[in-house]
Amino acid sequence: LAKTTQPISMDSYEGQEVNITCSHNNIATNDYITWYQQFPSQGPRFIIQGYKTKVTNEVASLFIPADRKSSTLSLPRVSLSDTAVYYCLVGEAGNTGKLIFGQGTTLQVKP
Amino acid sequence: EPEVTQTPSHQVTQMGQEVILRCVPISNHLYFYWYRQILGQKVEFLVSFYNNEISEKSEIFDDQFSVERPDGSNFTLKIRSTKLEDSAMYFCASSESPVGYEQYFGPGTRLTVT
């Protein structure tokens, strides 16, 4: 699994757009980029996954440049309830499905 | 929306005792996992399970740990002789496929070993 680097923490205000960037310089050809969200005392929750260009769902957008060495999770108009830890995972889960979580980015949304 | 459930939500046990943590994965999922998260630390993979066999286990998953799917719906994690350092949140997860990363996590069981 490729090593990822993301900011340890970020602050934002309600209504703002938040962009969290993840670096993954050693991403392999078969690797996907996936983001999870974790609220305190809860299990991680899958947010979005992509391979290249842009992916959008009802929760977030994921921007992936052509070289795929980084990716940006974009949360539009955050609210207080978006305060959570966001994890960037890169790799091919392969036959066993093992997920390797890093420290993630703790997003604090303020009123 | 289907969800993974776990029981109990909180388990307190004494050092050396055996505990069994229970999980009910999403019904049509075939791949099952256990992770743990020590307070303030990152989520750590313990084991993956498919077709009644362990697919992969981490270094944490030593001989005191075991997993079982005793029937068509439950998936259990047993810790034979608990240690203080086993205190953590234990998450069960399931997925339709191991390929890709979309796993569904349960709410967790908080294990406190005293």
Side-chain angles (χ1 to χ4, degrees):
Chain A
L1 293 169
K3 180 177 166 56
T4 61
T5 302
Q6 52 183 125
I8 293 175
S9 64
M10 293 181 70
D11 287 341
S12 182
Y13 291 93
E14 281 192 290
Q16 289 188 331
E17 177 184 78
V18 170
N19 296 308
I20 306 174
T21 297
C22 178
S23 297
H24 28 80
N25 291 319
N26 297 322
I27 190 168
T29 304
N30 295 331
D31 288 345
Y32 278 77
I33 300 157
T34 310
W35 287 80
Y36 274 81
Q37 173 192 56
Q38 186 181 26
F39 297 115
S41 298
Q42 293 187 28
R45 184 176 76 106
F46 172 90
I47 301 176
I48 197 166
Q49 181 179 87
Y51 184 78
K52 61 180 178 180
T53 63
K54 177 184 173 183
V55 180
T56 297
N57 62 21
E58 65 277 7
V59 176
S61 294
L62 179 60
F63 297 92
I64 305 168
D67 65 6
R68 303 199 329 121
K69 292 185 183 300
S70 66
S71 59
T72 298
L73 175 73
S74 181
L75 306 172
R77 295 180 300 281
V78 295
S79 63
L80 296 176
S81 63
D82 293 315
T83 294
V85 180
Y86 293 82
Y87 300 97
C88 167
L89 284 75
V90 173
E92 185 179 8
N95 295 328
T96 69
K98 176 173 74 175
L99 298 184
I100 303 295
F101 288 85
Q103 294 292 348
T105 296
T106 299
L107 172 66
Q108 180 71 48
V109 180
K110 302 175 183 178
Chain B
E1 183 178 325
E3 58 182 19
V4 175
T5 59
Q6 292 185 242
T7 54
S9 57
H10 190 189
Q11 173 96 43
V12 181
T13 189
Q14 290 189 325
M15 197 167 49
Q17 295 296 304
E18 174 183 286
V19 293
I20 297 176
L21 310 184
R22 291 182 167 81
C23 168
V24 178
I26 293 173
S27 61
N28 65 331
H29 287 181
L30 300 176
Y31 298 84
F32 315 115
Y33 317 89
W34 284 101
Y35 294 83
R36 80 171 186 189
Q37 187 173 31
I38 295 170
L39 186 65
Q41 299 187 22
K42 58 186 180 182
V43 177
E44 300 175 289
F45 169 80
L46 291 178
V47 65
S48 58
F49 190 86
Y50 168 71
N51 199 26
N52 281 321
E53 288 186 345
I54 290 175
S55 306
E56 186 171 357
K57 59 183 180 180
S58 71
E59 292 178 354
I60 303 168
F61 195 90
D62 61 20
D63 291 344
Q64 69 162 342
F65 290 91
S66 62
V67 288
E68 191 179 29
R69 187 153 165 82
D71 53 44
S73 59
N74 291 283
F75 181 50
T76 63
L77 174 69
K78 181 192 292 186
I79 310 175
R80 248 179 290 282
S81 177
T82 51
K83 305 173 193 156
L84 294 176
E85 55 264 36
D86 292 328
S87 294
M89 197 76 158
Y90 287 80
F91 296 109
C92 172
S94 68
S95 66
E96 290 183 20
S97 164
V99 179
Y101 280 83
E102 189 166 0
Q103 294 182 11
Y104 293 79
F105 283 74
T109 293
R110 180 170 300 284
L111 177 64
T112 302
V113 182
T114 61

